[in-house]
Amino acid sequence: MKLIINNASTSSRLLGKNEDEITSVSLLIDGGKIAALSETPITIESVKTIDAKGLFLSPGLLDPQVHFREPGMEYKEDIESGSKAAVKGGFTAVVSMPNTTPTADNADTVRFMVETASKKGLCKVYPTGALSKGLEGKSMTDFSALISAGAVAITDDGKGVQNNALFKQALVSAKHLGIPVLDHSEDETLSNGGAIHEGEISKKFNAKGIKSASESVHVERGCGYSLETGGHYHVLHVSTSASIEAVKRAKERGANVTVEVSPHHLLLCDEDIAIKSDGTLDANWKMNPPLRSREDMLACQNALVEGVIDAIATDHAPHSPEEKKQPIEQAPFGIIGLETAFPLIFTHFVKTEKLTLGRAIDLMSKNAGDIFGIRCGRIEQGEVADLVLFDLNNAFTVTPSFFASKSQNSPFIGETLYGETHTTIVAGNIVYSRGNI
C-alpha cells in the first residue's frame, strides 16, 4: 500500500538533524516504510494522499509502561481496547507489564500476549516478563525462556521486589542477556499498606500514608547494584526528589541507570486530590507511587527539563468505575493515561517553552525505545512508517466519552488541552483517524 502525506510541519530534530527547528515536510510511504521525503508536495496519480497542512508530523510514540490486563482482567481492559487507546493517543508501540492473571512469568503467557497483539492489536505490543514467579519475590523466573517468547525486559511491576539478593541476582542475569530490569521501587515496610502520600493531606483526611522513603530507598538500592554489577537498572514512574537525586549521583558515577516519569507525577501533587460530595477523597487520584508533595512534583519537573529523565511513561492502569467508586483506602491503585499523555506534555511543557517540541517527542519515542533496544523515533527514508499527525492548534476538552479505553479512571477529565491526535499510522497503515475509533 502506498500513502502520501503532504504539507505537514515537523521538527528538523525528528528528521535526524542536529537542530530543533520547525520545517515543512512531505513524504511517500510504500511497503510499510518511508520511501521518500521532500520539502515540497509529492504527487503520484491514484495514490491516497493526506493534506496535512496545519498538522504536525511526529514519529509514532512509544510508551514504556502500560497495563493491558489481558489475560485475566479483560473487564478493565484487553489488548484490543488498550491498543485502541494507544493509537488514539498517538502511540504506535507500548511495553506491557506482566501483572496479569495468570502472571507473565512463563513463556506461554508472554507468547499469548504477542500472538493476541498481532491478531487484535492496532499498535505494536512488546510484553515484559516477570522477574519472580507469581510476582512473589521468592524465586527467579527463566529469563531466557521469557525473552525467547518475546519479552523485552524483566520486571515485577505492580509490586516492589523485597528480596535484595534476588534483585541483585536479576540484574546480573539480565545483563548477560542484554535486557533491562524495570523496577517498581517500593519498600513495603515503609509503604505499609498506605493509600496516598504521607503528608498534610493524609493527616487531614485520616488516610494511611505512604512514606516517600518507600520509593527512594529501593531506588538507591537499584542504583548501587547497577554500579556493582553493570546491569541496566530502569526506574519506573519516579516520583520523589530523593529518588531523582539518587539517579543523578548514579549517572554521574557511570551507572547503567535510566529513569522514567509519568505525566501525573509531573503535573499533580497530593494537594490536588479531588474531594467528593460526601467529603471523602476521590480514588481517581489514587495511584502507586502516589501523588507526592508539591516539592516532589517540582523536582520531577526540574529533572525532566534538566535532562535527568530518560523517558515519559503513562503507567496506563485501567479499572472499572465500580472499583474506583470505593473509598480511597479500598480502591485499587492506578489511572489511565494513553489518550492524554502527549496533550498534557505539549500543553504544559512545550507551549510554556519549558521543552522544545522535538525534545518532548524524543522523550516519548526515540529515548523510550532506546531503553529496550527498540528502533523508533525518526522520520527518515527507509525507516518503518510508524507515524502520527497531531493537531497542535485547536484546543479540546477531556470528557468521559473521549476515551477509547474500556475505563475512564482519569484525574484529567475536564481539562482543556492542545495536541489531539488527528491520524495514527502503523507500518504504513492508517489505524486511527480522529472521530473514527
Side-chain angles (χ1 to χ4, degrees), residues 15-26:
L15 297 171
K17 300 177 182 178
N18 292 327
E19 65 270 16
D20 196 355
E21 298 173 352
I22 302 300
T23 186
S24 179
V25 67
S26 297

Side-chain angles (χ1 to χ4, degrees), residues 175-189:
K175 178 190 175 184
H176 292 317
L177 295 167
I179 58 169
V181 174
L182 320 183
D183 184 29
H184 173 102
S185 307
E186 181 182 358
D187 184 324
E188 292 175 359
T189 65

Side-chain angles (χ1 to χ4, degrees), residues 63-307:
D63 192 335
Q65 187 189 177
V66 303
H67 301 265
F68 276 0
R69 305 303 190 195
E70 186 178 6
M73 294 173 279
E74 289 85 354
Y75 71 96
K76 300 174 189 268
E77 193 82 286
D78 55 38
I79 290 171
E80 183 176 5
S81 65
S83 67
K84 286 180 178 179
V87 297
K88 183 167 185 178
F91 290 91
T92 56
V94 299
V95 176
S96 63
M97 299 296 106
N99 56 335
T100 50
T101 305
T103 304
D105 59 1
N106 61 87
D108 287 342
T109 302
V110 171
R111 197 174 295 112
F112 166 83
M113 293 175 172
V114 172
E115 292 173 354
T116 303
S118 69
K119 294 174 184 175
K120 296 183 178 180
L122 298 174
C123 68
K124 298 169 182 176
V125 179
Y126 298 98
T128 58
L131 186 154
S132 68
K133 294 176 182 177
L135 304 183
E136 294 178 350
K138 295 178 181 177
S139 58
M140 214 164 70
T141 57
D142 184 341
F143 291 3
S144 294
L146 296 173
I147 293 166
S148 296
V152 297
I154 296 299
T155 180
D156 269 2
D157 185 42
K159 296 190 70 176
V161 179
Q162 305 306 302
N163 185 319
N164 292 345
L166 182 69
F167 192 75
K168 183 178 178 181
Q169 181 187 0
L171 276 172
V172 172
S173 297
K175 178 190 175 184
H176 292 317
L177 295 167
I179 58 169
V181 174
L182 320 183
D183 184 29
H184 173 102
S185 307
E186 181 182 358
D187 184 324
E188 292 175 359
T189 65
L190 296 174
S191 58
N192 195 30
I196 65 172
H197 173 67
E198 184 178 273
E200 293 303 315
I201 302 301
S202 65
K203 293 175 185 176
K204 180 178 178 180
F205 288 87
N206 196 30
K208 183 178 282 190
I210 300 173
K211 296 178 184 294
S212 292
S214 66
E215 175 183 286
S216 60
V217 296
H218 268 201
V219 172
E220 289 169 358
R221 174 191 73 175
C223 289
Y225 287 163
S226 177
L227 276 166
E228 185 178 344
T229 66
H232 181 177
Y233 169 61
H234 178 70
V235 184
L236 295 165
H237 44 49
V238 74
S239 70
T240 76
S241 59
S243 299
I244 289 166
E245 288 304 314
V247 169
K248 278 185 184 178
R249 291 192 298 269
K251 287 187 172 189
E252 287 167 358
R253 295 178 64 188
N256 189 6
V257 174
T258 51
V259 59
E260 69 184 38
V261 70
S262 299
H264 45 276
H265 290 126
L266 289 166
L267 298 170
L268 299 172
C269 65
D270 60 346
E271 299 169 24
D272 298 313
I273 300 174
I275 302 170
K276 297 192 292 187
S277 58
D278 63 2
T280 62
L281 297 173
D282 191 328
N284 279 329
W285 275 254
K286 181 183 181 182
M287 65 285 294
N288 192 12
L291 298 177
R292 299 292 187 182
S293 69
R294 184 166 298 277
E295 291 74 20
D296 288 319
M297 179 189 73
L298 294 175
C300 288
Q301 291 183 11
N302 290 336
L304 183 73
V305 172
E306 292 170 3

